[in-house]
């Protein structure tokens, strides 16, 4: 039995993509860069809450919820009820952290939401 050799097929080569260089005739208007830390500015300057420094870094969900509750009840900057303000600030932090938030910390903050509900008597 004779062995058959397969014919070598030529490999397909992929052409490099052309670089996109903006043309001067059709260039869009230049926008001013937005501040990098707009979410930090929101938590510091908006009518949200006067938060304790490092509240979201606490080790216990109960401590986080208690601190948020205390801040919400004593804050003169909030526009809505204490529970709603505390919960919205916690949700805001979770959403802004996004994928960069470690799973353990995200789980702790999610437990803090439930604990916040218990502390405000909303079940």
């Amino acid at each position: 039995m004779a062995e058959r050799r397969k014919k070598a097929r030529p490999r397909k080569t992929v052409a490099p993509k052309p670089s996109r260089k903006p043309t001067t005739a059709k260039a869009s208007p230049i926008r001013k860069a937005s501040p990098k830390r707009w979410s930090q500015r929101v938590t510091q300057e908006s009518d949200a809450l006067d938060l304790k420094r490092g509240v979201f870094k606490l080790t216990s969900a109960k401590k986080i919820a208690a601190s948020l509750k205390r801040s919400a009840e004593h804050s003169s900057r909030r526009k809505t009820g204490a529970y709603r303000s505390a919960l919205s600030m916690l949700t805001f932090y979770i959403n802004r952290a996004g994928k960069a938030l470690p799973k353990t910390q995200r789980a702790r903050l999610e437990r803090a939401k439930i604990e916040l509900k218990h502390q405000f008597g909303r079940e």
Side-chain angles (χ1 to χ4, degrees):
M1 290 191 358
E3 289 184 31
R4 290 181 137 185
R5 285 190 181 184
K6 291 184 179 179
K7 290 184 180 179
R9 292 184 183 175
R11 292 187 179 185
K12 291 182 181 178
T13 57
V14 179
K17 291 183 180 181
S19 62
R20 295 180 125 185
K21 294 181 181 178
T23 59
T24 55
K26 296 182 180 180
S28 60
I30 298 172
R31 290 189 199 176
K32 191 174 182 180
S34 62
K36 287 187 175 185
R37 306 272 176 136
W38 70 267
S39 58
Q40 182 181 12
R41 188 173 38 85
V42 166
T43 57
Q44 291 174 350
E45 298 174 9
S46 75
D47 291 328
L49 289 179
D50 297 316
L51 293 175
K52 180 183 164 187
R53 188 176 207 76
V55 65
F56 300 113
K57 305 282 187 204
L58 294 173
T59 57
S60 166
K62 286 186 178 187
K63 289 180 184 178
I64 294 170
S67 179
L68 283 171
K69 181 180 180 189
R70 192 178 321 109
S71 295
E73 288 174 341
H74 296 318
S75 178
S76 59
R77 295 169 55 202
R78 63 183 167 85
K79 292 180 180 179
T80 63
Y83 171 70
R84 188 171 178 182
S85 294
L87 189 62
S88 66
M89 188 55 76
L90 182 56
T91 305
F92 175 77
Y93 181 81
I94 293 170
N95 290 343
R96 290 308 307 157
K99 291 180 181 178
L101 193 63
K103 288 184 179 181
T104 55
Q105 190 177 359
R106 179 179 297 276
R108 184 180 311 125
L109 294 173
E110 291 295 336
R111 284 194 314 269
K113 280 185 182 180
I114 297 166
E115 186 59 36
L116 196 61
K117 196 182 278 191
H118 289 298
Q119 289 187 11
F120 275 98
R122 306 231 177 163
E123 224 169 33

